[in-house]
Amino acid sequence: MKILHIHPSMAGGGIEAMICGLVNEMAKYHDVTLCTIYKPKKEDVFENKLSKSVRRATLGKDKSGFSIREVFEIYRFIRYGHFDVVHIHGFFYYYALAVLLLHKRVKFVYTIHSDAAKENSVWDKRIIKLKRYAFRKGYVRPVTISKESKRSFENFYKLDSTIIYNGIPEYAFNTRINKLDKYRITGKTVLFFHPGRISEPKNQIVLVKVFNRLIQEGHDVVLLIAGQKKDLQIWAKIEPYLCKRIVYLGERNDVRDLLSEADAFCLPSIWEGMPVTLLEAISVGCIPICSSVGGIPEVVTNEYNGFLSKDASEAAYYEALKNFIVCPNVEINQMKCNCRESFKKYKISEVAKKYIELYMNV
């Protein structure tokens, strides 16, 4: 089967990690091409993690913002590429022309990686009737990534979708990493790690405020934050809280290595789809402390393999963190085992099989 995956870039983030794992797995058995809209950069996290079996293509876009040129270039690339399946990852407006003109000769699959209403960009909102029409007529098969994601799709589009959970490859443990030891201030310091773009959905302002409160109360904790400074206004509000116990690590391409050394994973999001960083955390036994949004409660069961806050508020997330801090070591160790057990259904090999089955049946 000749398969094309398209995404704006492989710069770094949960969606990009998911796509990287998916195309690498599919390329073991099929002819797979990954096309990016933006020209790859040396610092793009997942460019060097792609298998040699994955064909690479790019439209070479180097300036931000929308341009009609890419719409026509994507159409031509798909038309003359003779693909059996084109798998779209968000940003429907780029692919609208190709979907309308080529749906009779190509199978189109579209994964909604977040809440169905919130994932629509400014340009997607302008053509939302066309997008809904393409879903309704079967020109594109929509895929959602959790039960909550499916519900949001049904509520927004009044249509059904196929659920396929996100997944990632298994982790090869390296006992000689020791990248985080230098951040432990004492022998009893508890290390918390938050990987995620600095942006509104990730709720980092609440995160640093809660840790600032814990530090003032005398708790021996350290919060490490890693991710792109996507929203500079939010970053400006976070930066004053940085200190030796709240540390910004910059953008990292070794998130799972860091999770394997951290004591807990923090994600107080306002909204989510199925966070890939959460799957990375449970795969290495790093206990998640998350808000109960999106697909998170489908992965995390409170006090079984992690802790859930009632909502994304400062008070609720503080309570969830305190519950972790006072939890006995025996229970914490059992939770780590439960995390690894919970991960089995999210292995990328299983996810790839489900997508291939979907391609065959579209």
Side-chain angles (χ1 to χ4, degrees):
M1 190 182 301
K2 194 171 183 181
I3 303 165
L4 171 66
H5 286 261
I6 310 184
H7 190 60
S9 79
M10 294 300 287
I15 295 175
E16 289 82 358
M18 163 66 185
I19 295 170
C20 180
L22 190 60
V23 297
N24 285 347
E25 185 67 26
M26 288 184 174
K28 294 177 182 178
Y29 312 102
H30 301 276
D31 183 345
V32 177
T33 299
L34 172 62
C35 179
T36 54
I37 295 171
Y38 284 89
K39 183 179 179 179
K41 299 177 182 178
K42 291 182 179 180
E43 61 268 26
D44 286 354
V45 171
F46 294 102
E47 283 295 330
N48 295 326
K49 295 186 178 182
L50 292 169
S51 165
K52 293 181 179 179
S53 301
V54 177
R55 299 178 189 270
R56 289 293 284 111
T58 181
L59 302 185
K61 183 176 173 63
D62 55 8
K63 293 182 179 179
S64 61
F66 174 67
S67 170
I68 195 69
R69 182 175 68 89
E70 283 76 33
V71 174
F72 287 95
E73 286 192 3
I74 288 171
Y75 164 75
R76 285 192 291 267
F77 186 79
I78 295 173
R79 180 180 178 184
Y80 298 110
H82 304 291
F83 300 103
D84 300 304
V85 177
V86 174
H87 193 145
I88 300 166
H89 299 275
F91 305 94
F92 180 83
Y93 60 90
Y94 279 122
Y95 320 107
L97 182 65
V99 167
L100 290 176
L101 298 182
L102 300 175
H103 65 271
K104 290 185 178 180
R105 65 170 77 174
V106 180
K107 298 177 179 181
F108 286 93
V109 172
Y110 180 100
T111 297
I112 295 93
H113 287 280
S114 184
D115 180 278
K118 294 183 174 71
E119 67 103 24
N120 286 303
S121 65
V122 173
W123 285 96
D124 271 9
K125 289 177 181 177
R126 293 178 179 177
I127 60 167
I128 199 67
K129 291 184 179 179
L130 176 60
K131 189 176 181 180
R132 183 180 284 110
Y133 178 82
F135 288 145
R136 181 164 53 84
K137 299 297 283 187
Y139 296 171
V140 184
R141 176 65 67 89
V143 175
T144 47
I145 57 175
S146 68
K147 293 177 182 177
E148 183 59 34
S149 174
K150 180 181 175 70
R151 279 193 289 270
S152 73
F153 185 87
E154 292 173 348
N155 291 337
F156 189 75
Y157 291 103
K158 311 303 179 186
L159 298 167
D160 195 14
S161 66
T162 301
I163 293 182
I164 299 180
Y165 290 102
N166 278 346
I168 55 174
E170 292 187 80
Y171 179 69
F173 281 90
N174 184 346
T175 57
R176 297 175 296 175
I177 297 175
N178 298 326
K179 295 181 179 181
L180 298 185
D181 283 354
K182 61 184 177 181
Y183 296 104
R184 295 187 188 274
I185 297 172
T186 74
K188 295 183 178 180
T189 299
V190 182
L191 278 183
F192 297 82
F193 183 39
H194 169 78
R197 291 186 178 99
I198 307 299
S199 58
E200 181 187 1
K202 300 302 180 185
N203 206 20
Q204 286 104 348
I205 296 173
V206 159
L207 182 65
V208 295
K209 285 183 176 180
V210 169
F211 270 90
N212 184 60
R213 178 179 172 182
L214 290 171
I215 293 165
Q216 290 179 346
E217 290 174 352
H219 293 285
D220 187 4
V221 298
V222 168
L223 170 66
L224 304 175
I225 301 172
Q228 178 190 14
K229 298 175 186 176
K230 185 176 181 180
D231 191 320
L232 294 180
Q233 290 183 335
I234 292 176
W235 170 251
K237 295 179 180 179
I238 293 171
E239 195 171 17
Y241 289 93
L242 299 183
C243 59
K244 68 177 182 179
R245 289 187 179 272
I246 301 178
V247 182
Y248 175 64
L249 303 179
E251 296 183 54
R252 302 291 295 240
N253 60 5
D254 57 351
V255 165
R256 209 136 51 131
D257 288 344
L258 301 183
L259 284 166
S260 72
E261 292 188 57
D263 298 304
F265 161 75
C266 294
L267 194 65
S269 300
I270 299 170
W271 71 82
E272 284 286 356
M274 176 64 74
V276 170
T277 50
L278 171 59
L279 304 184
E280 290 177 326
I282 64 170
S283 75
V284 298
C286 184
I287 295 175
I289 306 170
C290 307
S291 52
S292 303
V293 298
I296 291 174
E298 296 172 49
V299 179
V300 181
T301 300
N302 193 41
E303 298 186 4
Y304 169 76
N305 61 350
F307 294 86
L308 292 174
S309 62
K310 296 177 182 179
D311 52 50
S313 68
E314 187 175 337
Y317 198 67
Y318 170 82
E319 182 180 353
L321 282 168
K322 284 295 293 286
N323 289 340
F324 169 82
I325 290 171
V326 302
C327 190
N329 287 334
V330 173
E331 294 182 24
I332 290 294
N333 290 332
Q334 182 59 52
M335 281 189 189
K336 291 180 179 181
C337 294
N338 295 342
C339 283
R340 296 190 184 99
E341 182 67 25
S342 302
F343 171 68
K344 290 181 179 179
K345 67 182 289 188
Y346 303 105
K347 293 180 181 178
I348 197 63
S349 56
E350 296 301 314
V351 175
K353 286 179 185 177
K354 291 178 181 178
Y355 270 113
I356 294 299
E357 290 173 2
L358 176 67
Y359 297 164
M360 299 288 288
N361 293 321
V362 170

